[in-house]
Amino acid sequence: MFDTKVAILVLDDLATWQKLNVTAFLATGVAAMAPEAMGDPYEDAAGRQFASLLGQPMLIFAAGESELKRAHRISGEKGLLTAAYVRAMFSTGHDAANREAFKAEPADAPDLVGIAIRGPKKDVDKAIKGAKLHP
């Protein structure tokens, strides 16, 4: 049904609140960079308006460091839309500080705790190879 795929990989040994936080932030990154993937706004039976949601499924995977590194490397090689969250961002308190923490990471080896990618199915599948759907 879709020619693209969205996958979010989250480091498997994080605390539950961290996994949820990272997943939420990464999902917003995909939505922001792929406005064409957004569905129409929702409306309930009373006519109240609700926000649009992404128009395709997002698959969430539990990943180890090796799967995150692989996804990061391949997403860069394939030019896939990529959102990333690094461990240092847990200690910041706002968006500007998050960007500073992210920029301070080594470009080829950031301390990733999560990554979201969107692109052609076969390329995303190659990038997420080895990761398991989150339980």
Side-chain angles (χ1 to χ4, degrees):
M1 181 172 188
F2 301 101
D3 57 351
T4 60
K5 186 173 195 171
V6 178
I8 299 176
L9 286 75
V10 181
L11 190 62
D12 54 11
D13 66 356
L14 296 176
T16 300
W17 75 266
Q18 291 174 314
K19 290 178 186 178
L20 293 169
N21 185 266
V22 168
T23 301
F25 273 104
L26 293 174
T28 65
V30 170
M33 294 300 291
E36 72 282 0
M38 296 301 293
D40 292 327
Y42 285 73
E43 183 177 306
D44 70 11
R48 293 178 291 209
Q49 297 291 310
F50 291 83
S52 300
L53 302 176
L54 203 69
Q56 72 181 99
M58 285 187 266
L59 302 171
I60 314 300
F61 295 85
E65 287 184 32
S66 63
E67 288 90 11
L68 286 170
K69 288 178 183 179
R70 175 188 173 84
H72 178 259
R73 179 179 52 80
I74 293 173
S75 67
E77 290 171 359
K78 299 286 186 181
L80 303 174
L81 182 153
T82 305
Y85 199 103
V86 296
R87 190 175 307 276
M89 291 164 66
F90 285 130
S91 64
T92 65
H94 55 87
D95 188 47
N98 280 348
R99 285 194 306 278
E100 288 176 21
F102 187 84
K103 191 169 189 169
E105 294 286 322
D108 292 334
D111 187 9
L112 293 170
V113 296
I115 190 168
I117 53 179
R118 179 177 185 263
K121 285 181 184 181
K122 67 179 179 114
D123 292 339
V124 173
D125 286 340
K126 182 175 183 180
I128 64 173
K129 186 176 180 177
K132 304 288 185 225
L133 281 173
H134 203 287

